[in-house]
Amino acid sequence: MPSPLPEAVRAALRAVVDPATGRDVVSSGMVETISERDGMVQFALAVPRERAREMEPLRLTAERTAAAVPGVISATVVLTAHRAEAPAQPAAPKSPAGQGAMLLPGVKRIVAVASGKGGVGKSTTAVNLAVALASQGLRVGLLDADIYGPSLPQMLGTNERPRAVGQRIIPISRWGLKAMSIGFLVDQETPMVWRGPMVMGALEQMMGQVEWGELDTMLVDMPPGTGDAQLTMSQRVPLAGAVIVSTPQDVALIDARRGVRMFEKVNVPVLGLIENMSFFCCPKCGERTEIFGHGGAREEATRLGTEFLGELPLKLAIRQMADAGTPVVLAAPDSHEAQAYQSIAARLWEKLESPAAASGPRIVME
């Protein structure tokens, strides 16, 4: 039988009235499908595009009303503008993007680990760098910002569900990290068939409603490309910088270049490039083969005027341990590949602690 919770939420929302029309958000057709999973409620309010900015108080009231329904652990409400437009209203003046309340105030340094395309080993790199930083005695968070293809549960070796205390979600603690992913909240094979506003709402919830506490740094495992998640991160958190992961071949470097340019456009400093799968080491004889070429990311870093942070090999052990949920930095700390991650992590923290990084970027969206 379907859960009665969405209907209870819908009933409660009949008390939320749009002051401009005098009608409640349910009878006016603003409330779209209410989804619920283990007490986590999400839905959208469909509004005319030109009224979206002025309706933020209404969205907040709807979210608080839904969260107060017995049985609801947390509620996420987003505004979406794909219903028929109402008669024109005066447009609210635009405030400079990135100037609103920033999320994650307790995190000193937030770093986006990004790539222009998928399949370059970005998530494996992010997890191992996070564990390497934690092994240096730092308080580290790891956020999986890939809503459509979350990989953190597999790579951290746990399908544990986060606990909720009041309206706050407690992140998963694993391998010395505090971690959060949409993959911890849904079944492994459940596809996230969501529009952009729902994706951005879920991402903001994982930043704003999770009890991250005080952290020295947080690594954000970004989805591939240059879309909604990247813009949300640029606008809602004070990013200290971005690290771009690429393989050496030209087809990957073209997309990595787009990633660099995207962060430049939103005034987020690129801390450097990492060349992953730089060379293959045969597990039997140890012979080195440069399957994807070699040195492409180093050359690209020089061309773009940013630092080359290091190269990581394509080794069977890295893949096996990632699939098993034990990062190679922990499982084989004396191996060449673990030392490579440790070296990159140390250099990354050195850059984050430099005076230039400490001042933080000024976020400006064009």
Side-chain angles (χ1 to χ4, degrees):
M1 293 182 61
S3 168
L5 200 52
E7 285 308 311
V9 170
R10 187 177 295 276
L13 291 173
R14 293 186 182 278
V16 179
V17 176
D18 179 2
T21 64
R23 300 179 63 193
D24 69 83
V25 295
V26 175
S27 64
S28 62
M30 293 171 63
V31 178
E32 297 197 331
T33 302
I34 301 174
S35 62
E36 180 266 332
R37 176 90 186 169
D38 295 334
M40 309 287 187
V41 170
Q42 296 172 330
F43 61 91
L45 294 179
V47 301
R49 185 178 303 278
E50 71 276 6
R51 291 193 61 208
R53 215 174 267 277
E54 70 184 70
M55 296 189 76
E56 172 58 21
L58 186 68
R59 183 204 68 79
L60 186 59
T61 300
E63 190 170 79
R64 289 172 176 168
T65 301
V69 173
V72 174
I73 294 173
S74 68
T76 300
V77 182
V78 297
L79 298 176
T80 184
H82 56 270
R83 73 194 289 248
E85 304 235 336
Q89 301 285 333
K94 291 187 177 181
S95 59
Q99 300 297 313
M102 292 285 105
L103 300 173
L104 301 172
V107 184
K108 294 179 181 177
R109 306 282 188 271
I110 305 170
V111 178
V113 181
S115 66
K117 69 193 302 296
V120 299
K122 170 183 51 59
S123 294
T124 303
T125 302
V127 170
N128 277 283
L129 288 179
V131 172
L133 287 166
S135 71
Q136 297 174 19
L138 299 172
R139 298 167 298 175
V140 182
L142 182 59
L143 172 62
D144 187 352
D146 193 346
I147 303 298
Y148 294 122
S151 54
L152 239 58
Q154 179 76 36
M155 292 193 172
L156 294 180
T158 179
N159 287 311
E160 180 184 352
R161 292 293 176 91
R163 295 184 300 110
V165 177
Q167 296 299 311
R168 307 292 292 173
I169 301 171
I170 308 302
I172 300 299
S173 294
R174 187 73 166 169
W175 308 130
L177 310 172
K178 288 184 178 181
M180 181 52 62
S181 168
I182 195 72
F184 292 133
L185 304 174
V186 300
D187 291 334
Q188 188 175 21
E189 297 182 4
T190 299
M192 306 308 292
V193 188
W194 286 354
R195 292 184 175 94
M198 293 295 284
V199 171
M200 291 184 285
L203 184 56
E204 291 195 6
Q205 183 180 10
M206 289 195 294
M207 292 187 289
Q209 294 185 16
V210 171
E211 196 63 41
W212 290 105
E214 299 292 322
L215 297 175
D216 295 307
T217 186
M218 173 183 286
L219 298 191
V220 183
D221 181 13
M222 303 294 293
T226 55
D228 288 338
Q230 285 79 2
L231 292 176
T232 297
M233 293 301 301
S234 299
Q235 292 175 308
R236 296 309 311 276
V237 300
L239 286 173
V243 172
I244 308 296
V245 180
S246 179
T247 46
Q249 76 271 34
D250 289 344
V251 69
L253 290 168
I254 291 172
D255 291 316
R257 195 174 302 137
R258 293 191 184 103
V260 171
R261 296 306 186 203
M262 186 276 295
F263 283 112
E264 287 178 348
K265 284 184 71 67
V266 294
N267 287 353
V268 174
V270 175
L271 300 171
L273 269 64
I274 297 173
E275 182 168 285
N276 197 30
M277 307 182 200
S278 186
F279 53 89
F280 170 70
C281 291
C282 176
K284 293 185 177 180
C285 67
E287 181 180 353
R288 170 171 167 157
T289 305
E290 297 171 353
I291 295 176
F292 300 113
H294 181 259
R298 183 189 294 273
E299 294 174 4
E300 191 66 25
T302 300
R303 195 183 74 81
L304 294 171
T306 190
E307 182 173 346
F308 179 67
L309 293 172
E311 58 186 37
L312 298 164
L314 175 61
K315 294 196 73 172
L316 180 62
I318 297 177
R319 193 277 301 167
Q320 288 176 325
M321 293 173 189
D323 284 350
T326 307
V328 70
V329 167
L330 284 174
D334 296 327
S335 64
H336 172 268
E337 50 270 30
Q339 292 298 313
Y341 284 118
Q342 289 280 9
S343 176
I344 294 172
R347 176 56 184 154
L348 179 59
W349 182 245
E350 182 183 355
K351 296 194 72 168
L352 290 172
E353 283 291 88
S354 69
S359 63
R362 177 175 176 266
I363 306 299
V364 177
M365 297 294 296
E366 295 181 354

